[in-house]
Amino acid sequence: MKKICAIFLILFINFSFSQSKTISGIIKDISSLVPIQSVSIGVSNSNLGTISNEDGKFRITLPENSSKIEFTHLLYNSETHTINKNDSEIEILLTPKSFILDEVVINHRPGKELLINAIDASKEKLERSILLNTYYREFVNVDTKYTSFSEGLVDYYVKRKSGASEVEVRQSRVFDLKDEKASEREKAIQSVNLNDIRDAVTTAYNFKAVSKIIKDDNYFFEVETKTEENGNSIEVITIQPKAGVEEEQIYEGSVTYDAKTKLILEIDLRFSPEHKKFNILHNLIIAKAKFNDFARKTKFKIDGDKYVMIYNQIKINFYMKFGKMINNTFESVYDMTTLDYAEGEFKLAKDKKYKERSLFENGNKYTEEFWKKYNIVLLSDSEEKIINSLK
């Protein structure tokens, strides 16, 4: 009898550990112990992944028979952590990459030419047909006061390399201050949103902003090649406005790509702080508008022979005046993270195709507390406070 019980106990332990396991944790710099944001976190031998939030925190679920998590960042050495059966929370310490001679090499090829080559290579490599399982969320504030938040599990059926896709919202939850008793003016104000959830992948795949900068004589480009001790290299093209430029909507930032494949790994663009003062109010057909600020960060991952978008964030701050209904400053921030993906030809049923611009319109439609279960990007401490203010 004891022998049978012992065998049963062993089988129970093995069975329990073979089931999916959720791991939470924090990622820090090994020397400074400062949390590291935007670390790519993936389950070994799978397409599952997420990224760390601005506090360096993350959560990821390993499927059965998986026990290894990979941590990668452009500026840190990759780390693979093996999960023990008793692990539920872990701390990961990453070591900054050591580049040869601790310096960079100035590339003498024109930055414009290198950027064009990187864009062409990236466009060519992006999968023509792919299903992206993503976590999508959006914050909106009006006149510096947060009014809305939405998040959901959203699938993108990408049909072309442009990112053109059909969208299915599988689950969503919404916090919105707008109610039935709100005035028409309040409803109009809170309905303003420049982002379109249906175009989120297209926006991530979109290299038009960089291409436009390449053609603009208002910029100069500095090219740096950073080579690790193992011989791997990345090239960073820093984009800066030329001295004396007094134009509106002038950008600064960088584009980083793999030196060998020329595939873009990260795009980081924002309005130049020194040039925001030149942004002007535009008279549109039925309204007036001014872009105060804009920022975009997109990350791609080379996964073996595959090339996948893993993160895209857009921040927009703009002023709008529309008759007596709207005279306000709006800020919209959305994040989209790829949680899993599959290649192949996929078809979305017509009755499941999402047709609204905003995830808010889908309302609270969830069958489980997905924000506690899946590999979503965790809300930061400051974002949690915002959500609590909307409840």
Side-chain angles (χ1 to χ4, degrees):
M1 182 68 179
K2 290 182 179 179
K3 185 176 181 180
I4 294 174
C5 290
I7 293 173
F8 176 79
L9 181 60
I10 291 171
L11 289 174
F12 175 77
I13 291 173
N14 289 336
F15 176 78
S16 298
F17 187 59
S18 69
Q19 302 306 294
S20 61
K21 185 175 181 65
T22 299
I23 301 295
S24 299
I26 186 169
I27 307 168
K28 299 179 181 179
D29 183 290
I30 194 169
S31 299
S32 67
L33 298 182
V34 173
I36 307 173
Q37 181 180 359
S38 299
V39 176
S40 179
I41 304 155
V43 179
S44 297
N45 301 317
S46 79
N47 297 331
L48 297 172
T50 186
I51 66 170
S52 58
N53 69 7
E54 64 183 51
D55 299 320
K57 296 178 181 178
F58 70 93
R59 183 180 67 230
I60 192 164
T61 298
L62 287 74
E64 59 180 310
N65 301 322
S66 295
S67 61
K68 293 184 178 181
I69 305 177
E70 300 170 351
F71 301 86
T72 57
H73 191 283
L74 285 177
L75 302 180
Y76 289 85
N77 291 326
S78 298
E79 180 79 21
T80 300
H81 183 87
T82 300
I83 299 300
N84 298 315
K85 63 175 179 286
N86 294 324
D87 285 341
S88 59
E89 293 190 11
I90 59 176
E91 180 180 75
I92 300 297
L93 302 177
L94 296 185
T95 304
K97 287 182 178 178
S98 177
F99 296 105
I100 294 177
L101 300 179
D102 249 355
E103 64 181 20
V104 299
V105 177
I106 303 300
N107 196 312
H108 295 289
R109 294 179 64 189
K112 291 185 177 182
E113 179 184 334
L114 292 171
L115 269 180
I116 291 172
N117 291 341
I119 291 172
D120 289 344
S122 301
K123 283 183 176 179
E124 181 63 29
K125 187 63 176 176
L126 284 172
E127 300 295 340
R128 182 177 299 274
S129 181
I130 190 170
L131 172 59
L132 297 175
N133 306 127
T134 76
Y135 166 66
Y136 179 100
R137 69 178 183 185
E138 190 165 42
F139 286 92
V140 174
N141 77 48
V142 180
D143 296 333
T144 71
K145 179 181 179 181
Y146 282 94
T147 60
S148 304
F149 168 76
S150 67
E151 64 179 345
L153 299 177
V154 182
D155 290 347
Y156 288 87
Y157 293 72
V158 184
K159 302 297 183 182
R160 295 189 294 275
K161 292 182 180 180
S162 64
S165 50
E166 295 181 339
V167 180
E168 177 184 7
V169 177
R170 289 190 284 124
Q171 299 192 60
S172 65
R173 73 164 177 166
V174 169
F175 294 99
D176 199 336
L177 294 184
K178 184 170 55 181
D179 56 40
E180 294 181 358
K181 297 180 180 180
S183 68
E184 290 302 313
R185 180 176 181 275
E186 289 174 325
K187 290 181 180 179
I189 290 171
Q190 293 180 33
S191 67
V192 174
N193 194 332
L194 287 188
N195 293 315
D196 190 333
I197 187 174
R198 299 167 299 180
D199 296 332
V201 175
T202 300
T203 302
Y205 280 25
N206 191 344
F207 298 106
K208 289 183 179 179
V210 180
S211 298
K212 186 176 180 180
I213 289 173
I214 292 172
K215 298 175 183 178
D216 195 330
D217 292 332
N218 288 321
Y219 298 94
F220 71 88
F221 306 85
E222 182 178 270
V223 186
E224 300 173 340
T225 301
K226 297 184 178 183
T227 303
E228 301 174 50
E229 293 177 346
N230 61 10
N232 294 333
S233 298
I234 58 172
E235 294 188 336
V236 182
I237 300 182
T238 302
I239 301 168
Q240 292 288 340
K242 292 179 179 177
V245 172
E246 296 185 357
E247 300 286 339
E248 71 167 334
Q249 298 183 29
I250 294 295
Y251 294 90
E252 66 177 26
S254 63
V255 177
T256 303
Y257 60 90
D258 180 74
K260 181 179 180 180
T261 63
K262 308 304 178 187
L263 296 176
I264 292 174
L265 301 172
E266 183 173 288
I267 298 173
D268 191 355
L269 293 176
R270 70 201 73 86
F271 278 170
S272 165
E274 298 297 321
H275 295 77
K276 291 179 185 177
K277 60 187 176 184
F278 299 115
N279 293 346
I280 62 174
L281 185 66
H282 291 268
N283 288 311
L284 307 178
I285 297 176
I286 58 174
K288 295 181 179 181
K290 174 186 175 183
F291 280 92
N292 299 315
D293 206 358
F294 176 88
R296 170 196 175 184
K297 180 171 285 189
T298 308
K299 291 177 177 291
F300 297 87
K301 179 181 180 180
I302 300 173
D303 189 9
D305 62 345
K306 303 180 183 67
Y307 180 57
V308 185
M309 181 278 300
I310 59 172
Y311 179 71
N312 192 51
Q313 182 188 73
I314 300 290
K315 295 182 179 180
I316 302 175
N317 184 294
F318 66 101
Y319 165 78
M320 176 181 287
K321 180 174 175 56
F322 177 68
K324 296 181 179 180
M325 295 286 285
I326 298 175
N327 185 18
N328 304 87
T329 297
F330 302 86
E331 184 171 270
S332 178
V333 181
Y334 91 77
D335 301 79
M336 179 177 62
T337 306
T338 298
L339 307 180
D340 198 0
Y341 68 91
E343 299 175 82
E345 298 291 335
F346 303 95
K347 188 175 182 180
L348 177 64
K350 289 184 178 180
D351 61 333
K352 292 185 177 181
K353 185 176 179 181
Y354 193 63
K355 300 179 181 180
E356 305 295 337
R357 286 181 56 89
S358 171
L359 186 59
F360 297 125
E361 302 303 323
N362 200 57
N364 287 304
K365 294 182 181 178
Y366 52 86
T367 57
E368 57 189 336
E369 294 181 320
F370 65 87
W371 55 92
K372 295 181 180 179
K373 179 179 179 181
Y374 291 93
N375 305 333
I376 68 170
V377 181
L378 298 178
L379 292 169
S380 66
D381 294 341
S382 59
E383 289 167 340
E384 285 283 6
K385 290 180 180 179
I386 295 170
I387 299 303
N388 291 332
S389 72
L390 293 173
K391 290 182 180 180

